[in-house]
Amino acid sequence: MNIPKHQQNDIAKQAAGKAAVNYIQDGMLIGLGTGSTASYFIDALIERCHTTTLKIHAVATSERSYQQAKSGGISLYDINQITQLDMTIDGADEIDRKKQMIKGGGGALLREKIVAYMSQEMVVIVDDTKLVEYLGCFPLPVEILPFAYQSTLNQIHLLGFQGRLRQDAQGQLYVTDNGNYIVDIVTKHPFQNPQQDHALLKSIPGVIETGFFLNMAGRVIVGHNDGSIDIIE
Ligand code: 5RP
């Protein structure tokens, strides 16, 4: 039987999400990522909590993940009740051989980065289509302040980046959970020096955060279409 491509991807994402639950230990404080792969993880975590004696607490990186976890009975903290997390499990849009990543396709990059930074380890869960030689095929999301956003966009262009304001399904400017906008930067050539590009973009006052997640990934779980996984230590 021929399984459509997007469903194959779902099998791979689900395999990675499910496997990540094995890293969760009793009493842990966990960061819940955002996106379809993270959503498979949250489902698997809910199931594990219901079918075993596992007790954990979590914080979410988006309203979506918060609602999913809450409706599944996961104990959730407000982010300001804590300062450290044991582990964050999150997806990625691209990840290269050095585990450098682009994230933010789902619009949650700022909270995702803050939560990952608070964590002892960021475990990344991806399907194998996310593995790349160089970052840059996927547009780089950059979260910007609504105040003077046209000027910020202009500054981004003046630095040599090509960016477009993200829109929602209704054609309105996409607004993040933090009330900000997102510029998606497209590039014809891969990012040669993500550290430098990140620093350049962050030098613009209206730029809040970029979707470059550099030197943040711990173990990476890669799911495949046949339901198998690989782990990159
Ligand atoms: C959300 C993200 C997601 O992790 C990223 O977009 C991957 O999403 P998916 O698992 O749906 O492919 O960064 O801001």
Side-chain angles (χ1 to χ4, degrees), residues 1 10 15 54 61 63 69-70 72 97 105 113-114 122 124 137 152 168 178 203 220:
M1 189 178 72
D10 279 349
L54 181 71
T61 54
E63 295 301 325
K70 190 174 169 207
R97 283 164 188 254
K113 197 177 269 192
I114 292 170
M122 178 187 196
V124 178
C137 276
T152 301
D168 62 20
N178 315 301
S203 71
V220 181

Side-chain angles (χ1 to χ4, degrees), residues 44-110:
L45 181 64
I46 291 168
E47 194 192 332
R48 182 67 63 94
C49 288
H50 284 171
T51 55
T52 69
T53 55
L54 181 71
K55 294 229 174 337
I56 52 93
H57 301 280
V59 294
T61 54
S62 64
E63 295 301 325
R64 260 174 297 161
S65 296
Y66 179 89
Q67 291 306 335
Q68 183 185 358
K70 190 174 169 207
S71 62
I74 299 279
S75 159
L76 286 152
Y77 281 151
D78 178 272
I79 194 74
N80 289 310
Q81 289 176 285
I82 49 154
T83 54
Q84 277 183 15
L85 292 158
D86 294 301
M87 189 177 279
T88 283
I89 312 276
D90 204 352
D93 296 302
E94 282 187 343
I95 180 162
D96 71 11
R97 283 164 188 254
K98 293 182 183 160
K99 299 191 197 172
Q100 311 291 42
M101 300 182 282
I102 285 181
K103 284 181 53 55
L109 67 108
L110 179 56

Side-chain angles (χ1 to χ4, degrees), residues 13 33-39 64 90-93 102-109 112 125 127 130 138 213:
K13 287 178 182 201
T34 294
S36 53
T37 319
S39 170
R64 260 174 297 161
D90 204 352
D93 296 302
I102 285 181
K103 284 181 53 55
L109 67 108
E112 289 172 336
I125 47 176
D127 64 89
K130 306 292 182 63
F138 192 89
F213 280 57

Side-chain angles (χ1 to χ4, degrees), residues 3 5 7-20 22 40 126-128 221-231:
I3 303 172
K5 189 101 182 121
Q7 280 177 18
Q8 289 179 14
N9 248 8
D10 279 349
I11 293 169
K13 287 178 182 201
Q14 190 169 20
K18 271 187 164 177
N22 296 327
Y40 281 123
V126 288
D127 64 89
D128 53 16
I221 304 176
V222 183
H224 304 287
N225 292 341
D226 62 1
S228 65
I229 55 149
D230 283 322
I231 293 164

